[in-house]
Amino acid sequence: MRLHEYEAEEIFSKYGINIPLGGLAKTPQEVKQIAESIGVPVVLKSQVLVGGRGKAGGVKIVDNLDEVDIVADKMLKTELKGYKPEGLLVLKKVDIKKEIYLGITIDRTLGTPIIMISTEGGINIEEVSRKNPEKIFKFLVNPLQNLYPYQVISIVKKIGLTGEPLAETVIIIAKLYKVFREYDGLIAEINPLVLTEEGKVLCVDAVLEIDDSALFRHPELNKRKLDAMSERDKRLMKKGATFVKLNGNIGLVCSGAGLAMATMDMISDYPALSPANFLETGGGITSDLMVDCMELVLEQPKLDAIFINLYGGINPIHEGAKGIAKVIRERKLNIPIVAKALGNRQEETWETLEEVGVHIIKESETQKAVEFLAKLLGVKAK
Amino acid sequence: MSILIDKNTKVLVQGITGNIGTTQTRYMLEEGTNIVAGVTPGKGGLKVENVPVFDRVEEAVNNFPIDVSLLFVPARVAKDSVLEAIDAGIKTVVLITEHTPVHDVIEMKAYALQKNAILIGPTTPGIITPGECKIGILPANMFCQGQVGIISRSGTLAYEVAANLCAIGIGQSTVVGMGADRVAGTNLVDILKLFNQDKDTKVVVIVGEVGGTQEEDASEFIREGMSKPVVAYIAGISVPPGKRMGHAGAIIEGGKGSAKSKIESLLASDVKIAKRLYEIPSLVKELIS
């Protein structure tokens, strides 16, 4: 779960990380009120959850108080990459002496938190990580211990900080690490962390992404996430299923992410075929879950066929088959459905599906089933 | 022969009294797995499929020799249960559970490393040495005995690859699901090293997928230390960048972790690449005969 910048700043600020004066506004009037109280120039930032916001025009500096509401009105109405802003974050513009990138994430291979700091802060940090990785200084934290501030002094020195800003940045890292661990962060990032002309260190942009699997430990955030979801999406999430819309013509239902990706790879070998969606059931198949999965797939607009690929390891696929059959019967579907289902209780599964006219492929190769599908639709591989 | 488990392996099942624990215990017993005990706090004294149940891992360990603990526990208690098994002295722990918080996984991984234990998972289908021992949820009818080692990041793809090999008469020494989460208890390269040392594994198949850098890291070891031929397949070459595909692991981050970068790095280590899943059996056949 990715939080909005204003939400992340609220949390960072609670942990004692300094942010510029300002606040969130939902209307041009509110923007103006905040600007009046903190004084111009102000920075207006669209609250949308997309990357590359600055480059897409979602950040504007306004010097003149009379223009604030006009600019704000326009920004509030402007969608960024298809998303309407939830509001504008209004912040007092700070005088930048030095910009720093500070981020914490998890090193996936080592399985440890990793703190990264660089003077090449700002919007090009990803490019820096590819072209000049030596300009990013890293510290790995033992997950079984706390982070002690002294441990990160040396990486902060490496970016050239001395004196008061050095000490202050070290403390900010310790605070950000605390946020990262206590909020089950996947990413906690300040980009940029700004050293001001007056010698202060301020968090000017905050990113916090939280591990969805840990939301049970954060009931408030969990509630916010659930409130934004449909009932069916909630049921799918509860069972661990994942759906991604892809706009092609073949609806997919697979019992595993790897299997789903491999299936998509094979389908994509046919120029006339492409996946309408990615749907991975996870390990919690029930008859009801399959009803939800099928209905979700059937909502995709350009369907020519549905392709089902299931394995009965932990999943009771014979139960799943009942849900599929129920949808086919009740909705009197006549769209072609090809299914490959193997594993525990495969014979019962086949029987249930064959009864409702599903084409069953009993071989173990997904490719055979994809070839069958292609033949059925009369299309050829490239 | 095999890695990690064989016919002599004695198994504990944590979470044995739950629905999944009970069903899967029955399936494993049918395959001849030597399950000696189960644990569910508060259910001590019961029996599941004739297997005695204890309240604590330590009690089970005091009553039976145990080599491997297999866990079917809810995600929110996974860390507690894994640490309990390791503290009781069990050296191999297999965590089937999906959706374990990654901050718990990194603590388990570090703890296992500190105590010289092997943690397989989370989100793994488990391990099977066909004909000898099955620890996990893998459907046994997909596998057959032989000399190919399989390491898969995806559970279901491990089943399909094994079944396709069996269809042309090629069996497996051991199949290991390394788990599909952002962080795996044991890395791909560590399992490769075990297969490299196993005298009866002739060829190793890596079933990878987009996301992370496990395959890139493994290719370095293959180049420098692997004495056996390796075949690899990477799922997700058609996955649009930036889409999250279910496994927390399957995220494409910039150029790194893409199918293309993994394939290029494996090719540089002389690994035979199957562009599609169905090409694996013929590549393996060439190498094994």
Side-chain angles (χ1 to χ4, degrees):
Chain A
M1 179 183 189
R2 175 103 182 241
L3 301 188
H4 280 286
E5 181 188 6
Y6 75 92
E7 297 170 314
E9 284 202 347
E10 233 169 65
I11 292 169
F12 289 7
S13 165
K14 207 170 75 187
Y15 278 70
I17 296 171
N18 289 323
I19 55 177
L21 289 175
L24 180 76
K26 303 249 180 185
T27 64
Q29 293 73 31
E30 283 175 20
V31 173
K32 186 149 194 185
Q33 278 167 15
I34 295 173
E36 277 168 354
S37 72
I38 61 177
V40 283
V42 290
V43 184
L44 307 183
K45 303 169 96 177
S46 275
Q47 296 301 290
V48 278
L49 293 174
V50 297
R53 177 186 59 177
K55 287 178 180 170
V59 178
K60 294 242 171 4
I61 296 167
V62 188
D63 296 312
N64 188 338
L65 200 54
D66 297 331
E67 287 171 15
V68 167
D69 47 353
I70 303 159
V71 177
D73 185 52
K74 202 171 164 204
M75 285 179 80
L76 281 164
K77 286 175 182 154
T78 307
E79 286 189 358
L80 288 187
K81 300 184 180 175
Y83 293 89
K84 203 173 175 296
E86 212 180 277
L88 295 183
L89 185 59
V90 188
L91 296 176
K92 173 93 178 162
K93 185 175 176 294
V94 295
D95 295 322
I96 298 171
K97 187 175 174 196
K98 189 167 183 158
E99 281 191 326
I100 297 160
Y101 167 85
L102 173 61
I104 306 177
T105 185
I106 288 172
D107 182 297
R108 294 180 55 176
T109 303
L110 298 172
T112 59
I114 178 170
I115 297 170
M116 294 172 288
I117 191 164
S118 175
T119 48
E120 310 290 312
I123 53 180
N124 294 319
I125 186 69
E126 283 189 30
E127 205 182 315
V128 175
S129 74
R130 283 195 299 272
K131 291 186 180 157
N132 303 93
E134 76 286 351
K135 289 191 175 166
I136 300 176
F137 300 98
K138 296 168 181 167
F139 181 79
L140 297 169
V141 190
N142 180 342
L144 299 176
Q145 290 175 359
N146 291 323
L147 174 76
Y148 298 101
Y150 82 85
Q151 295 174 308
V152 293
I153 293 174
S154 65
I155 56 167
V156 180
K157 277 192 145 180
K158 279 183 188 150
I159 62 163
L161 292 188
T162 55
E164 207 40 44
L166 165 70
E168 213 172 310
T169 304
V170 165
I171 297 301
I172 288 173
I173 295 177
K175 286 171 176 169
L176 188 66
Y177 185 74
K178 201 159 189 271
V179 171
F180 180 71
R181 292 289 280 167
E182 290 181 1
Y183 274 86
D184 284 286
L186 296 178
I187 301 168
E189 199 174 67
I190 300 176
N191 185 26
L193 183 69
V194 166
L195 177 58
T196 67
E197 291 291 351
E198 305 91 69
K200 278 200 205 154
V201 185
L202 290 178
C203 160
V204 170
D205 195 319
V207 172
L208 184 57
E209 185 177 351
I210 291 167
D211 180 6
D212 284 341
S213 298
L215 283 176
F216 68 86
R217 290 201 275 247
H218 310 285
E220 264 174 52
L221 294 172
N222 195 30
K223 185 176 177 301
R224 202 180 309 167
K225 184 175 174 100
L226 289 175
D227 286 348
M229 289 171 88
S230 73
E231 288 304 314
R232 184 175 62 202
D233 285 352
K234 279 184 216 170
R235 292 199 297 271
L236 288 172
M237 188 181 75
K238 206 172 160 210
K239 285 285 180 188
T242 306
F243 178 87
V244 180
K245 196 176 172 60
L246 294 171
N247 296 319
N249 59 345
I250 305 298
L252 273 186
V253 180
C254 298
S255 67
L259 185 66
M261 284 192 279
T263 306
M264 285 164 60
D265 292 346
M266 290 180 226
I267 287 175
S268 303
D269 284 337
Y270 293 84
L273 306 181
S274 65
N277 65 284
F278 168 96
L279 201 173
E280 192 253 307
T281 61
I285 286 184
T286 59
S287 174
D288 288 346
L289 177 71
M290 272 306 180
V291 171
D292 281 332
C293 287
M294 286 294 286
E295 284 178 349
L296 186 54
V297 168
L298 286 165
E299 280 171 19
Q300 306 316 303
K302 298 180 289 193
L303 285 190
D304 288 326
I306 295 176
F307 190 88
I308 298 170
N309 201 353
L310 306 176
Y311 274 101
I314 201 166
N315 272 318
I317 53 176
H318 60 292
E319 287 295 327
K322 289 178 196 163
I324 298 169
K326 188 176 167 204
V327 173
I328 295 173
R329 264 201 205 96
E330 283 177 4
R331 299 181 50 155
K332 300 191 175 67
L333 289 185
N334 51 18
I335 180 170
I337 302 178
V338 175
K340 176 176 143 288
L342 296 171
N344 297 319
R345 309 185 75 164
Q346 59 191 26
E347 286 81 8
E348 286 167 73
T349 307
W350 296 342
E351 204 178 307
T352 308
L353 293 176
E354 275 173 334
E355 258 176 38
V356 288
V358 173
H359 303 277
I360 297 287
I361 307 301
K362 295 178 181 173
E363 284 153 296
S364 62
E365 283 186 62
T366 295
Q367 175 65 12
K368 294 268 160 59
V370 173
E371 281 166 13
F372 180 89
L373 171 79
K375 211 173 153 197
L376 200 65
L377 298 176
V379 302
K380 289 208 159 50
K382 55 186 164 218
Chain B
M1 271 292 289
S2 58
I3 66 165
L4 295 165
I5 61 170
D6 60 27
K7 60 180 185 299
N8 300 314
T9 304
K10 293 178 181 62
V11 183
L12 173 77
V13 177
Q14 288 176 256
I16 193 170
T17 56
N19 239 340
I20 292 169
T22 301
T23 312
Q24 295 294 333
T25 295
R26 188 168 66 242
Y27 289 149
M28 283 185 280
L29 290 169
E30 282 167 12
E31 295 308 314
T33 301
N34 191 2
I35 300 177
V36 296
V39 165
T40 300
K43 299 280 168 84
L46 289 180
K47 285 199 166 187
V48 169
E49 304 282 328
N50 239 0
V51 173
V53 180
F54 297 88
D55 289 315
R56 298 171 59 219
V57 176
E58 205 186 352
E59 292 165 13
V61 167
N62 288 340
N63 281 277
F64 297 96
I66 290 166
D67 304 305
V68 177
S69 185
L70 170 65
L71 284 80
F72 295 105
V73 299
R76 57 183 73 200
V77 301
K79 182 174 97 181
D80 184 55
S81 306
V82 166
L83 298 193
E84 185 189 4
I86 295 173
D87 274 337
I90 297 176
K91 290 299 178 196
T92 304
V93 179
V94 179
L95 178 61
I96 304 295
T97 308
E98 292 184 299
H99 308 294
T100 305
V102 70
H103 282 257
D104 292 356
V105 178
I106 62 175
E107 288 183 29
M108 295 176 212
K109 184 179 168 102
Y111 200 67
L113 202 68
Q114 194 177 304
K115 300 272 179 176
N116 275 320
I118 294 173
L119 169 66
I120 303 285
T123 317
T124 171
I127 312 167
I128 186 167
T129 293
E132 294 199 19
C133 184
K134 165 183 128 147
I135 298 181
I137 59 172
L138 315 99
N141 61 340
M142 302 281 113
F143 302 86
C144 56
Q145 255 174 316
Q147 297 178 314
V148 176
I150 301 178
I151 314 164
S152 180
R153 286 177 59 194
S154 150
T156 42
L157 283 186
Y159 313 164
E160 171 137 344
V161 170
N164 292 349
L165 287 169
C166 291
I168 60 163
I170 297 177
Q172 301 90 44
S173 51
T174 301
V175 180
V176 182
M178 63 169 275
D181 281 12
R182 185 173 289 265
V183 173
T186 301
N187 291 336
L188 182 54
V189 62
D190 300 317
I191 302 167
L192 265 184
K193 285 176 184 166
L194 295 177
F195 275 126
N196 200 34
Q197 287 159 10
D198 175 42
K199 64 178 170 39
D200 289 324
T201 297
K202 302 293 183 216
V203 177
V204 179
V205 177
I206 296 172
V207 183
E209 62 186 40
V210 292
T213 57
Q214 294 273 358
E215 294 84 354
E216 285 92 331
D217 300 336
S219 65
E220 208 176 300
F221 167 73
I222 295 168
R223 195 159 49 237
E224 281 153 21
M226 188 85 188
S227 60
K228 296 176 184 180
V230 179
V231 173
Y233 164 74
I234 308 294
I237 200 151
S238 68
V239 172
K243 291 269 187 194
R244 183 183 278 224
M245 291 295 174
H247 289 172
I251 303 168
I252 302 181
E253 292 145 339
K256 241 183 176 181
S258 69
K260 190 167 166 272
S261 111
K262 288 172 192 300
I263 289 169
E264 277 169 9
S265 109
L266 289 165
L267 275 175
S269 299
D270 270 338
V271 172
K272 300 280 177 282
I273 298 291
K275 287 206 189 74
R276 295 290 179 270
L277 199 61
Y278 56 87
E279 295 172 5
I280 294 174
S282 57
L283 289 173
V284 172
K285 198 174 178 186
E286 265 172 47
L287 294 168
I288 212 160
S289 51

